[in-house]
Amino acid sequence: MKLHTRRWLHLVPIAAAAAVGFVTLTSSASEGASPYSAQSTNDLGADLFAKQCSSCHGLDGLGVEDRGPTLEHEGRAAADFVLRTGRMPLAAPNIQAKSGPVRFTEEEIVALVDHVGSLGAGPDIPNVDITNADIGDGGAVFRLNCAACHVASGAGTAIGGSHRAPSLAKATPTEVGEAILVGPGAMPVFSSLTDDDINNVAAYIKNLQEQGTTDALHFGGAGPAAEGLAAWLLALIPLIAITRWIGRPNPGRDHPVATTPSGTVSNDSEPDPDDH
Ligand code: HEC
Ligand code: HEC
């Protein structure tokens, strides 16, 4: 029995070597002919693009008049941004894209991002790292570049032309970096911001999210003017209450004035028992 096992054992290295050789041979063969995994990713991306995106962006991704813009130079950053925030596919061509439920699996997102990235030169997905970021500097970047539209709290507001700068409550650091590089919709591209600026402002936005200001109560997003008016009204209520309280007659101080038949003025409204 023992002898039998040992005789098989010395075959193990040979079998292992054969297996390694086989795998090496087959993989190098497939590398030369067709990189199967990359091909399948492109197929998946192209297929999904044809079904879900081409009605507005065209089969070639170069856009369709009055439906969707060319994606030639949008790059992987824009594709990753619109897919991970659930912006695309858009329900109708003439509405503002906004974040919503993600419509694709991780594998499908990667495939679509690669497909859009292959259409032409555009920004790649930024590597945003907030671990050593400077939140103070990020706050300065935010107030200078972002607060005009997203407001100081990051809660967002209407910015005119029926556009809306959304709340930054759900934006991940990568999405912040992508938005800065891509300038989605009515947002401008901020090409002057360095990688450090992006890391810092992403950390600052994370900090706003943790403080809960990004989803702070704001008056239906009616805009800064309406919010200012609402703040004034809120401040006026206690002022009016205080004024009324001060102006109220005080029984101890302000006696009711009564005129007696004799014409003399008396503060005493009670009939005097001694006065007959
Ligand atoms: C001129 C106004 C404007 C300015 C300035 C601006 N944004 Fe935006 N931002 C927008 C609009 C509009 C959108 C929505 C885009 C769309 O329609 O898809 C947006 C979207 C975003 C989003 C996506 C939010 C989400 O989850 O839906 C992020 C993140 C963002 N902006 C970050 C920034 C940062 C960071 C800055 C400053 C560096 C900035 N924005 C400056 C108008 C602006
Ligand atoms: C119903 C039409 C429609 C469909 C379907 C659609 N898009 Fe779009 N897409 C638009 C319009 C319009 C814009 C430009 C306006 C905007 O960004 O809000 C746009 C913008 C984009 C952008 C650029 C983002 C920016 O603002 O810079 C990307 C990237 C994109 N789409 C990818 C896709 C992908 C990927 C799909 C399929 C999963 C898709 N779209 C499906 C209409 C559509």
Side-chain angles (χ1 to χ4, degrees):
M1 202 42 196
K2 265 183 184 168
L3 241 161
H4 194 68
T5 316
R6 281 207 197 108
R7 205 182 292 159
W8 277 107
L9 268 177
H10 78 266
L11 286 176
V12 168
I14 298 168
V20 169
F22 180 74
V23 169
T24 315
L25 264 174
T26 47
S27 67
S28 65
S30 66
E31 250 166 47
S34 75
Y36 179 71
S37 63
Q39 179 91 50
S40 78
T41 305
N42 276 345
D43 280 351
L44 179 59
D47 190 45
L48 287 169
F49 193 87
K51 287 191 184 121
Q52 307 266 5
C53 323
S54 65
S55 64
C56 296
H57 295 293
L59 264 179
D60 53 7
L62 298 183
V64 175
E65 212 181 328
D66 295 331
R67 288 193 66 84
T70 171
L71 301 181
E72 196 181 358
H73 299 298
E74 287 294 339
R76 291 160 48 85
D80 193 65
F81 175 80
V82 296
L83 296 173
R84 288 192 196 278
T85 58
R87 279 183 160 70
M88 296 287 151
L90 209 58
N94 294 317
I95 55 171
Q96 179 181 353
K98 58 178 181 137
S99 61
V102 179
R103 254 71 67 81
F104 300 96
T105 65
E106 182 63 29
E107 189 194 8
E108 290 170 337
I109 290 177
V110 171
L112 274 168
V113 166
D114 282 347
H115 181 77
V116 174
S118 74
L119 297 174
D124 202 354
I125 301 168
N127 183 18
V128 184
D129 181 7
I130 61 168
T131 43
N132 295 314
D134 186 328
I135 293 180
D137 277 4
V141 172
F142 187 84
R143 282 185 292 276
L144 204 61
N145 299 284
C146 321
C149 293
H150 293 283
V151 310
S153 64
T157 189
I159 56 168
S162 80
H163 291 295
R164 187 177 172 78
S167 156
L168 301 178
K170 294 201 203 94
T172 65
T174 304
E175 286 161 16
V176 169
E178 288 170 344
I180 287 172
L181 295 181
V182 167
M187 177 171 157
V189 177
F190 290 86
S191 42
S192 61
L193 296 184
T194 64
D195 287 355
D196 277 348
D197 289 337
I198 294 176
N199 292 342
N200 294 344
V201 79
Y204 181 76
I205 289 170
K206 182 105 194 298
N207 194 48
L208 288 181
Q209 291 169 345
E210 281 162 4
Q211 289 174 4
T213 71
T214 44
D215 40 26
L217 172 92
H218 64 115
F219 299 86
E227 285 173 22
L229 180 64
W232 265 106
L233 289 178
L234 274 188
L236 271 179
I237 291 168
L239 273 179
I240 292 168
I242 290 168
T243 322
R244 287 184 62 89
W245 180 75
I246 291 171
R248 188 180 58 165
N250 182 334
R253 190 188 64 207
D254 311 320
H255 300 286
V257 176
T259 310
T260 59
S262 64
T264 58
V265 171
S266 163
N267 279 336
D268 199 350
S269 56
E270 299 267 21
D272 193 338
D274 298 329
D275 201 8
H276 284 293

